[in-house]
Amino acid sequence: MIETVLGSALRVKVILILWKYGELHTTELAHKLGTNYRLLLRHIEVLSRYGVIEERRIGRLRLVKLSNKAHVIELAKALTKMEEYLETTHRDASL
C-alpha cells in the first residue's frame, strides 16, 4: 500500500508542500506545484482516501492540509529530511 500512497512524485511533493505551508487552497497548491488542477485533484483523492491529508470546504473553496496523525507527521518530517539531504549532497546530479 505504501507504493500506492508514495508511488507518485506529485503525491510526495504534495506532502512536502503541505508540511511546509500548512493548509492551502487547492488552486494555490496546484500553482505551487506547477501542475494542473484536475491532475492534482486525482492525487488529493488518493492521499485523502489513505488518511494522509484532510479536506474541508468553505463555500466553493476546497482546502487541504496534512493529517495531524503522528505517523503522517513523521512521514512528512522524514521526507523533508531526505529532500534536504539530497539537495545538499546531489546538487549537480541529474537523472
Side-chain angles (χ1 to χ4, degrees):
M1 271 195 243
I2 191 74
E3 65 276 0
T4 301
V5 176
L6 298 178
S8 160
L10 187 58
R11 286 196 287 273
V12 171
K13 289 178 185 177
V14 166
I15 293 167
L16 291 170
I17 292 289
L18 291 177
W19 176 248
K20 181 176 182 178
Y21 293 101
E23 186 173 61
L24 291 174
H25 179 271
T26 49
T27 302
E28 183 179 4
L29 180 58
H31 179 73
K32 286 187 181 300
L33 292 167
T35 192
N36 103 23
Y37 183 79
R38 293 237 182 251
L39 177 61
L40 176 61
L41 289 182
R42 289 197 315 234
H43 290 281
I44 285 174
E45 182 181 308
V46 172
L47 291 169
S48 183
R49 185 177 336 127
Y50 287 96
V52 176
I53 65 169
E54 298 173 358
E55 297 179 71
R56 69 182 180 109
R57 291 184 183 262
I58 301 175
R60 294 182 65 202
L61 291 176
R62 187 178 201 165
L63 300 167
V64 292
K65 67 177 184 175
L66 283 180
S67 168
N68 62 358
K69 296 175 186 166
H71 61 280
V72 174
I73 292 168
E74 290 303 315
L75 171 64
K77 286 179 182 178
L79 290 173
T80 300
K81 284 178 100 172
M82 189 62 180
E83 179 75 3
E84 290 168 356
Y85 168 77
L86 292 172
E87 285 176 355
T88 59
T89 60
H90 295 79
R91 287 183 195 261
D92 298 326
S94 60
L95 297 176

